[in-house]
Amino acid sequence: MNLIQVHPVPGIFYILFSGIFAPPLTTRLKYKTGWVIPFWMKIVIGLIVLWGTLAVGDLAEIYGL
């Protein structure tokens, strides 16, 4: 909803950042580059994505609820 109703740029970044949690993407990154995203960095990115997606509450203000 954040992507469609509020602003598309943060929504696109949230989708890209959340992709690091998908096992196929992580495996492909390790295979192609040999680099693995550390667990602590995944936690930090997960918290940032969670914090940012909580802005979907702005939809209530847009619709006057």
Side-chain angles (χ1 to χ4, degrees):
M1 291 303 290
N2 200 0
L3 176 67
I4 298 167
Q5 297 291 333
V6 179
H7 200 272
V9 176
I12 291 169
F13 282 115
Y14 298 149
I15 290 171
L16 292 176
F17 282 145
S18 63
I20 68 166
F21 298 102
L25 200 99
T26 305
T27 305
R28 184 172 294 173
L29 180 69
K30 182 179 178 183
Y31 176 73
K32 295 232 183 224
T33 65
W35 187 69
V36 178
I37 299 171
F39 185 70
W40 66 268
M41 192 179 290
K42 286 184 178 183
I43 291 175
V44 170
I45 291 172
L47 290 173
I48 291 170
V49 169
L50 181 65
W51 177 60
T53 55
L54 291 176
V56 176
D58 292 341
L59 291 175
E61 294 176 17
I62 291 173
Y63 292 115
L65 298 175

